[in-house]
Amino acid sequence: MLVEGLRRLEYRGYDSAGVAVLSQGRVESRKKSGKLMKLLDVLEAEPLPESPTGIGHTRWATHGGPTDVNAHPHLAGGGKLALIHNGIIENFAELKAELAEGGHSFASDTDTEVAAVLLADCYERLLPSEVAWGGLTVAMQMACQRLEGAFTLLAVHADQPGVVVAARRNSPLVVGLGDGENFLGSDVSAFINYTRRAVELGQDQIVTITPESVEITDFYGAPAQGREYEIDWDASAAEMGGYASFMEKEIHDQPDAVAQTLLGRSGPDGSLALDEMRIDADRLNAVNKIIVLACGTSAYAGQVAKYAIEHWCRIPTEVELSHEFRYRDPILDQDTLVVSISQSGETMDTLMAVRYAREQGAMTVAICNTNGSTIPRESDAVLYTHAGPEIAVASTKAFLAQITAAYLLGLYLAQLRGNKFQGEIKDVLADLAKTPDKIQQILDNSGQIKDLARSMSESRSVLFLGRHVGFPVAMEGALKLKELAYIHAEGFAAGELKHGPIALIEEGQPVFVVVPSPRGRNSLHAKVVSNIQEVRARGAKTIVIAEEGDEAVRAYAEHVFYIPETPPLLAPLLATVPLQIFACELATAKGYDVDQPRNLAKSVTVE
Ligand code: AGP
């Protein structure tokens, strides 16, 4: 059960793994650097005893390299206590010195072992009455009062069979409620096979589970409540569904991801009903600035949304990288609407930025794909994307769903503030409703882009150009290629080329160009076509994504991939898809693991 749970969490990225079980008054543990297969080899060679209680961990190294010694669980208290940890203990050095002073020794370089030794030290100091009540719980409370930083901790103690005690601060942890059994996991996929009843926990909480009970307290022992909810997807949704990888499955999930995100959010009269938007209308009417906070692909979704939101709502909209935002002394107040975009809802950079924004009095809305995750819980309102679980580390369907949700938010604000007539909003919603089928058309005709990808597997560098909403699409196309195929790639605003980057162009340099529709009065089409000519004249190999019927680009393109006609602001929902397929196919041709690219984790829960 532990190994199967760890297998479901593999997508989060890791470089060592381990388990510990309680049996006959002892803690038995096995751990190994490398992938789960290595741990299985160890378990094969030295089997663990049967046990109904255990903890398991996959580690993404922060303090100390991915070695056997540094892998979790860490034992302490004479081998009677085992601990696993996600996050970073920021004051581990001073605690380590204090514990060493007290005569404790350490086998590893990790901050986790310091937490384990501290917990064992607290346990050893318990009064007999506290041990009788539930020693490990009390010891965990005492230890957590000393810890600074972000952590999810799980511990077992040989003196308390059938008990697992966990704690969380700024790091994910969720409880699974079974019949005669209970579970803990950093996300629900760890136990989705056994139960779909879950309990989300709040900040600075400790949970003690036994087969029959779940007790929650704060770090000082005061009882607390978790929020019980039904997990809205089943184990099969997290399976590959017949595709060669989660990445490929999720690229093909995109029509549904967009459709599900739109579902149930507009009434029969075409008006928008975003019932999770628990911010009262007059506050939203007073909004005079929007700041979007996100990282990586989610930030590119924000950049796409900026064009639409400013066009529809006429509210100045800034898109900020979360990790830059709170260190630049930003200008925001109670009339600022801060929109975080996060697939996981656990990205520490974004969570800390949202916290900062709330401290400044801003309203906060989370666009998130993970029910029960931390960022929505710490926001005033949430707009869930319904893309289903995104397992592959590189984000695809969540990206399109995020753009869709951000557009719904923009239309909602425009409707509330009267910037757009009901008819106009209805038209945009009607166009959005047509995009799933258009995405499907692209997916059904992806053979040509896959052939091109395989033919380019030796490329050393690829450039991506786009303009207006096509610019963040170019950035996202470059990011996919970096993440999946480990090829240097860079996205540029097409207009920026002649201000420097065009010096990069040499004979045969592959350049993708995302071309806007030629339709519409202020189309940028002509300008982008001249950008294509500029690079082609210098030897570039131009690969163009253009709208069906756009014959003008053919003369300047080595390859043209057509996408169905759609209003310019919705084009990113289509133009991105060929770029995702290209990156996935090229990485596959190189034999890379497209679901778990090297060095990456699905959810970056450390700052
Ligand atoms: C995207 O392919 C990457 N996996 C990464 O940039 C990701 O978008 C970023 O870390 C933000 O994650 P979040 O959406 O879960 O907050």
Side-chain angles (χ1 to χ4, degrees):
M1 191 180 272
L2 287 173
V3 171
E4 198 257 314
L6 293 180
R7 200 188 302 286
R8 286 194 176 285
L9 292 175
E10 275 196 293
Y11 69 88
R12 293 168 72 98
Y14 69 102
D15 39 45
S16 61
V19 291
V21 297
L22 290 179
S23 172
Q24 272 96 35
R26 291 170 45 76
V27 170
E28 297 270 358
S29 171
R30 304 284 186 276
K31 59 183 185 175
K32 189 72 184 159
S33 60
K35 294 297 185 190
L36 266 188
M37 287 311 294
K38 297 272 199 266
L39 176 64
L40 286 171
D41 293 345
V42 171
L43 290 167
E44 190 80 28
E46 306 165 72
L48 284 172
E50 279 299 303
S51 166
T53 307
I55 53 179
H57 184 264
T58 51
R59 175 178 184 246
W60 188 59
T62 52
H63 293 73
T67 62
D68 295 0
V69 168
N70 289 341
H72 304 193
H74 282 278
L75 303 189
K80 298 188 74 173
L81 180 143
L83 179 90
I84 57 180
H85 163 228
N86 281 345
I88 290 181
I89 307 290
E90 291 183 342
N91 61 333
F92 85 98
E94 69 187 78
L95 288 170
K96 186 166 187 171
E98 183 188 311
L99 290 162
E101 272 294 300
H104 291 285
S105 59
F106 296 86
S108 80
D109 319 322
T110 64
D111 54 342
T112 306
E113 189 184 9
V114 174
V117 172
L118 174 67
L119 180 58
D121 188 57
C122 292
Y123 190 88
E124 280 142 27
R125 295 166 186 276
L126 291 176
L127 305 172
S129 61
E130 288 170 323
V131 175
W133 185 86
L136 191 54
T137 303
V138 179
M140 183 67 87
Q141 287 158 5
M142 293 162 69
C144 286
Q145 290 165 28
R146 301 291 319 276
L147 298 179
E148 292 166 20
F151 50 86
T152 299
L153 302 172
L154 265 66
V156 291
H157 196 288
D159 295 354
Q160 288 191 244
V163 175
V164 180
V165 178
R168 71 166 295 268
R169 167 182 285 167
N170 289 337
S171 179
L173 176 66
V174 63
V175 182
L177 303 176
D179 295 330
E181 58 186 8
N182 289 308
F183 305 86
L184 291 163
S186 24
D187 77 41
V188 296
S189 29
F191 50 73
I192 183 81
N193 249 4
Y194 304 98
T195 181
R196 287 166 60 180
R197 291 171 52 217
V199 175
E200 79 180 20
L201 298 170
Q203 186 66 296
D204 287 12
Q205 286 189 340
I206 284 169
V207 56
T208 302
I209 68 170
T210 69
E212 301 308 328
S213 66
V214 173
E215 306 278 333
I216 304 172
T217 72
D218 65 12
F219 282 179
Y220 295 87
Q225 286 302 319
R227 180 183 74 88
E228 189 172 333
Y229 66 97
E230 190 74 17
I231 299 161
D232 60 1
W233 45 272
D234 59 20
S236 65
E239 290 307 328
M240 284 187 202
Y243 290 99
S245 63
F246 281 114
M247 166 62 55
E248 192 188 350
K249 170 182 179 290
E250 288 154 13
I251 288 174
H252 285 80
D253 280 351
Q254 294 187 113
D256 198 43
V258 172
Q260 290 299 320
T261 301
L262 290 168
L263 200 61
R265 284 172 159 160
S266 58
D269 61 350
S271 66
L272 272 166
L274 302 186
D275 45 16
E276 313 107 299
M277 278 294 290
R278 295 185 302 266
I279 300 178
D280 42 56
D282 50 12
R283 278 207 76 189
L284 287 175
N285 268 314
V287 167
N288 59 16
K289 180 177 188 181
I290 295 174
I291 298 177
V292 179
L293 298 176
C295 300
T297 288
S298 300
Y300 298 145
Q303 287 186 24
V304 168
K306 166 191 165 73
Y307 292 92
I309 291 174
E310 287 191 333
H311 177 66
W312 292 331
C313 304
R314 312 311 296 156
I315 303 173
T317 302
E318 292 170 15
V319 183
E320 289 276 349
L321 291 173
S322 309
H323 39 81
E324 286 292 319
F325 169 70
R326 66 190 176 112
Y327 300 109
R328 67 165 185 76
D329 194 12
I331 300 159
L332 68 166
D333 60 24
Q334 77 284 351
D335 292 335
T336 306
L337 178 65
V338 166
V339 181
S340 65
I341 301 180
S342 176
Q343 189 288 128
S344 63
E346 299 298 348
T347 297
M348 189 51 65
D349 290 319
T350 302
L351 173 61
M352 301 315 267
V354 167
R355 281 226 180 108
Y356 177 87
R358 282 175 70 88
E359 285 158 16
Q360 308 304 313
M363 290 166 270
T364 55
V365 177
I367 291 178
C368 183
N369 194 48
T370 309
N371 190 317
S373 58
T374 305
I375 294 173
R377 206 169 44 245
E378 299 207 9
S379 299
D380 296 315
V382 58
L383 199 50
Y384 278 116
T385 51
H386 296 291
E390 187 176 74
I391 306 300
V393 168
S395 183
T396 49
K397 62 177 181 176
F399 177 66
L400 295 199
Q402 287 164 349
I403 293 172
T404 305
Y407 282 5
L408 290 173
L409 176 63
L411 290 168
Y412 179 76
L413 290 171
Q415 171 182 288
L416 200 67
R417 301 158 63 98
N419 301 81
K420 286 187 83 69
F421 299 112
Q422 206 47 53
E424 290 175 294
I425 292 172
K426 206 168 174 178
D427 292 348
V428 178
L429 288 173
D431 287 328
L432 272 169
K434 293 173 192 156
T435 43
D437 286 348
K438 294 177 179 179
I439 297 168
Q440 192 56 52
Q441 280 177 52
I442 297 167
L443 296 170
D444 294 344
N445 297 288
S446 55
Q448 199 194 354
I449 191 90
K450 287 182 176 178
D451 294 345
L452 175 66
R454 280 194 291 275
S455 74
M456 289 178 63
S457 61
E458 294 314 308
S459 305
R460 308 281 301 149
S461 140
V462 180
L463 306 182
F464 292 78
L465 303 186
R467 216 171 176 124
H468 196 260
V469 287
F471 171 30
V473 171
M475 304 283 277
E476 171 58 11
L479 178 59
K480 285 289 148 307
L481 201 56
K482 282 182 264 197
E483 285 189 286
L484 296 173
Y486 315 149
I487 289 177
H488 177 263
E490 202 163 343
F492 296 103
E496 187 59 11
L497 211 65
K498 54 189 164 306
H499 299 286
I502 199 162
L504 286 171
I505 305 297
E506 53 195 23
E507 191 54 39
Q509 168 68 50
V511 178
F512 273 88
V513 187
V514 179
V515 178
S517 165
R519 295 172 300 113
R521 52 191 161 71
N522 52 5
S523 164
L524 290 162
H525 182 268
K527 286 191 169 52
V528 176
V529 169
S530 65
N531 295 143
I532 298 175
Q533 290 170 286
E534 285 157 18
V535 293
R536 196 166 157 73
R538 290 163 177 80
K541 178 174 149 186
T542 49
I543 305 158
V544 169
I545 311 289
E547 185 177 85
E548 271 163 7
D550 179 356
E551 291 303 319
V553 295
R554 276 192 186 286
Y556 313 107
E558 302 275 308
H559 304 275
V560 185
F561 297 103
Y562 284 108
I563 57 176
E565 271 191 30
T566 194
L569 283 176
L570 305 192
L573 294 169
L574 305 184
T576 305
V577 180
L579 305 183
Q580 295 167 336
I581 294 168
F582 177 82
C584 180
E585 193 65 20
L586 198 158
T588 304
K590 297 182 79 149
Y592 292 160
D593 178 348
V594 293
D595 285 342
Q596 296 173 47
R598 69 186 182 196
N599 305 342
L600 296 182
K602 179 60 181 171
S603 177
V604 182
T605 54
V606 292
E607 277 192 285

